[in-house]
Amino acid sequence: MNTITMILNTFSETLSDLWRSSGFSNIQLSHVGMLLIALVLLYLAIVKKFEPLLLVPIAFGMILSNLPMGTIFHMRFFDPETIANLGYAKGTPFAINELLSEGGLLDYLYLGVKLGIYPPLIFLGIGAMTDFGPLLASPKSLLLGAAAQIGIFFAFIGALFLGFSPQQSGAIGIIGGADGPTAIFVAKTLAPELLGGIAVAAYAYMALVPVIQPPIMRLLTTQRERRTVMAQLRPVSRTERIIFPIAVTVLVALIIPDALTLVGMLMLGNLLKESGVCERLVKTAANELMNIVTILLGLTVGATATAEYFLSGRTLLIILLGVIAFAFGTAGGVLIGKLMYVITKGKVNPLIGSAGVSAVPMAARVSQKVGQEANPENYLLMHAMGPNVAGVIGSAVAAGILLMLLA
Amino acid sequence: MIKILDIASWTESYSTVSEKFLVGMTMALIGIVIVLLVLTLVSLFVKGISLLFYRDRKSESVTVSPSRLAPNTIQPSSRTSEDTPSADRKMADHDQLIAAITAAIYAFSDQKETSPSAEFIIRRVRRV
């Protein structure tokens, strides 16, 4: 009898321990909230096809890190406050001893974000895929790419007013560049505690370019301006294409050394492509490497959006400021486009200005779509690709400026 | 890293709305001006290299015919655009189309590491 009781007690204790150590007994409402957000992102990615290559890994990373009692990711190892409490010197990027002894898979993969490795590698891939021909054929596109960065600085001012520190404001402002890797690169340096919210906002807005931009474009332009047909771009020689990445790297590095990491990798990728002699490397950079890094980056950035760090009023403010940054960036590009329309006496369609917000190639496609609504025989895509790729350079330069002034 | 402006400590010492606005505007202005400056310089540089090299390319484009890419293999016809009278523009376009397709096929076969000397002749192109 005693034996049976002992067995039953042991069995019940084991079950009780199992229950206590399971996720079910530890799940909180905040976890459920985060899992629901992840499911919404998965819905947007899979059903609505909004940036699926990024949103699927991000959303799954959110699921992995928000399951209670999970040991795959520990955001606290990267939290500056916790690191200081553990006795590490100020500025230590992560709790290295704890990471080595208790770290999970995503902790190690997250080092690629924390040490700023993934975003430049993504830029390498983007460079290998980007054709700077439209920009070379029409150098004034660069001004549209610069104008569209205005949103970054508007959001910076807004964030300062809402009580964020200058570093946090800079990291939030960069969402206006509509460039996920750049936003991550800046946020991991200036405000690592906001990385999750900033990354999710940046990628969400990149996915929502076709929704956010058209109303602003229509509001700021007249039907006559939107109907403008632009002259065909000139062909660009191979020599120009080869000189461009080398020259831009040197020029940008000399003026904004902090922008070198992103711009340098972007231009390396492009030089590999345009040189015409590194076919295997181009293929790797633009496909395999890019895809691998996209998975790792998406997964780990999603994992940083844990309930305790993500579900706060601050995240809502970041999302609000992000859309302001994006809207002002779009408006800045369109307004300079309008100025060019006036100066060139109607030869530039102002709609191509909105493509200066980096999100390649979606922003250019939006210019094409809105242009064709006004004039079905108008083909703005190649003209919009100039400001679009200029926006990539512009946002990397803006990131360098923020790092130079605030880091 | 060289600090151009210590914006961070600057902002901390100013806390009223107007002071924050001033600091924010200053920062924004500096940022926008630098971005514009850098991209304007790049733009001017691009303009410069196009002036230097585009002309070369134009003259090159007249001489670079697909026959340079695939010597002795392209024989669409003996006519070139220069030989063609302007009235016969359609035929010139046709020749250019054949030349472009020939170059593309040659480049593709070269990419695939098939014998670069593999000879082929495009005799006719039909629009569908």
Side-chain angles (χ1 to χ4, degrees):
Chain A
M1 189 67 184
N2 274 347
T3 315
I4 294 171
T5 311
M6 201 177 75
I7 290 170
L8 281 175
N9 279 343
T10 311
F11 185 69
S12 75
E13 273 172 29
T14 308
L15 276 183
S16 173
D17 286 345
L18 190 67
W19 172 253
R20 273 197 300 273
S21 64
S22 76
F24 285 110
S25 70
N26 290 285
I27 198 157
Q28 293 168 3
L29 203 59
S30 57
H31 294 130
V32 178
M34 286 308 296
L35 293 175
L36 286 175
I37 292 173
L39 290 178
V40 170
L41 292 181
L42 280 177
Y43 170 80
L44 289 175
I46 297 168
V47 180
K48 297 287 178 186
K49 298 196 170 40
F50 283 172
E51 294 273 351
L53 301 183
L54 291 163
L55 283 188
V56 169
I58 287 177
F60 207 79
M62 285 169 78
I63 292 174
L64 289 176
S65 67
N66 283 289
L67 291 169
M69 305 303 282
T71 55
I72 196 165
F73 186 67
H74 305 85
M75 189 60 196
R76 64 177 189 279
F77 294 164
F78 304 94
D79 176 37
E81 212 172 293
T82 313
I83 294 168
N85 290 340
L86 288 168
Y88 289 96
K90 196 185 171 192
T92 308
F94 46 86
I96 187 156
N97 291 332
E98 287 71 13
L99 192 70
L100 292 174
S101 57
E102 301 166 44
L105 174 67
L106 293 188
D107 289 313
Y108 301 123
L109 295 181
Y110 183 60
L111 290 176
V113 174
K114 197 69 195 171
L115 301 173
I117 296 168
Y118 298 150
L121 289 180
I122 294 269
F123 262 63
L124 178 75
I126 293 172
M129 289 193 292
T130 303
D131 177 10
F132 283 105
L135 185 139
L136 288 163
S138 174
K140 61 179 177 286
S141 305
L142 279 153
L143 298 179
L144 296 170
Q149 308 311 317
I150 205 165
I152 292 174
F153 299 101
F154 266 99
F156 173 81
I157 297 171
L160 272 184
F161 272 98
L162 289 172
F164 287 97
S165 73
Q167 286 80 7
Q168 289 174 334
S169 304
I172 293 167
I174 201 73
I175 298 172
D179 199 321
T182 308
I184 290 166
F185 191 73
V186 173
K188 69 95 189 159
T189 309
L190 294 182
E193 67 281 7
L194 302 182
L195 183 60
I198 288 172
V200 170
Y203 281 115
Y205 290 135
M206 279 168 68
L208 292 173
V209 164
V211 179
I212 298 170
Q213 284 197 320
I216 300 167
M217 293 159 77
R218 287 189 203 106
L219 185 73
L220 295 175
T221 52
T222 62
Q223 179 76 0
R224 191 179 168 195
E225 287 168 343
R226 290 197 292 274
R227 291 172 66 89
T228 307
V229 177
M230 292 177 70
Q232 198 181 346
L233 294 170
R234 70 168 175 87
V236 177
S237 71
R238 186 165 171 248
T239 316
E240 287 172 88
R241 289 173 184 274
I242 290 173
I243 290 173
F244 178 73
I246 303 167
V248 169
T249 306
V250 174
L251 200 64
V252 171
L254 290 177
I255 303 172
I256 319 277
D258 289 277
L260 181 59
T261 313
L262 292 178
V263 174
M265 294 305 274
L266 178 75
M267 292 301 152
L268 169 64
N270 192 249
L271 181 61
L272 292 175
K273 174 180 180 280
E274 299 300 350
S275 67
V277 291
C278 303
E279 203 176 305
R280 277 165 44 203
L281 300 187
V282 175
K283 191 173 161 283
T284 302
N287 297 290
E288 290 84 357
L289 182 66
M290 181 89 164
N291 291 339
I292 289 168
V293 179
T294 300
I295 293 172
L296 299 181
L297 184 71
L299 198 60
T300 50
V301 162
T304 60
T306 54
E308 55 189 310
Y309 292 92
F310 192 84
L311 285 182
S312 66
R314 282 197 318 185
T315 307
L316 285 178
L317 287 177
I318 290 169
I319 289 170
L320 178 73
L321 286 164
V323 79
I324 290 172
F326 209 82
F328 272 98
T330 304
V334 174
L335 289 175
I336 295 292
K338 277 174 83 81
L339 186 66
M340 285 185 175
Y341 174 84
V342 174
I343 292 170
T344 60
K345 295 187 177 112
K347 285 181 184 162
V348 173
N349 190 318
L351 292 177
I352 65 167
S354 65
V357 295
S358 189
V360 180
M362 206 183 280
R365 282 193 204 132
V366 170
S367 299
Q368 158 79 7
K369 190 168 167 278
V370 178
Q372 278 206 326
E373 281 169 11
N375 178 1
E377 288 176 13
N378 205 356
Y379 293 92
L380 292 175
L381 188 66
M382 285 316 285
H383 299 285
M385 279 309 288
N388 210 188
V389 293
V392 179
I393 302 173
S395 61
V397 170
I401 293 167
L402 289 171
L403 291 172
M404 187 172 76
L405 295 174
L406 298 169
Chain B
M1 190 189 302
I2 301 164
K3 271 266 184 230
I4 292 180
L5 279 174
D6 197 355
I7 296 277
S9 60
W10 195 16
T11 316
E12 277 157 20
S13 60
Y14 290 83
S15 54
T16 66
V17 172
S18 59
E19 284 164 350
K20 273 189 179 176
F21 182 74
L22 186 74
V23 172
M25 281 305 287
T26 310
M27 168 80 184
L29 205 64
I30 293 169
I32 292 166
V33 167
I34 300 177
V35 171
L36 267 171
L37 180 78
V38 172
L39 294 191
T40 306
L41 280 175
V42 174
S43 164
L44 290 173
F45 186 83
V46 168
K47 196 85 190 162
I49 54 173
S50 71
L51 288 174
L52 277 173
F53 296 101
Y54 180 52
R55 203 173 296 158
D56 291 350
R57 197 241 174 222
K58 271 199 288 193
S59 56
E60 204 177 286
S61 67
V62 176
T63 53
V64 174
S65 67
S67 60
R68 196 180 109 180
L69 290 166
N72 307 322
T73 58
I74 303 160
Q75 302 160 17
S77 78
S78 56
R79 282 191 302 269
T80 64
S81 55
E82 286 110 56
D83 299 332
T84 314
S86 56
D88 200 5
R89 219 177 130 191
K90 223 175 174 182
M91 189 57 79
D93 288 347
H94 187 74
D95 283 355
Q96 281 175 9
L97 188 63
I98 289 175
I101 293 169
T102 308
I105 293 172
Y106 184 81
F108 179 75
S109 62
D110 196 30
Q111 203 175 56
K112 289 280 172 190
E113 290 173 6
T114 54
S115 165
S117 61
E119 289 192 1
F120 58 87
I121 299 166
I122 294 180
R123 293 188 191 281
R124 197 161 62 97
V125 175
R126 190 163 60 93
R127 288 186 195 278
V128 287

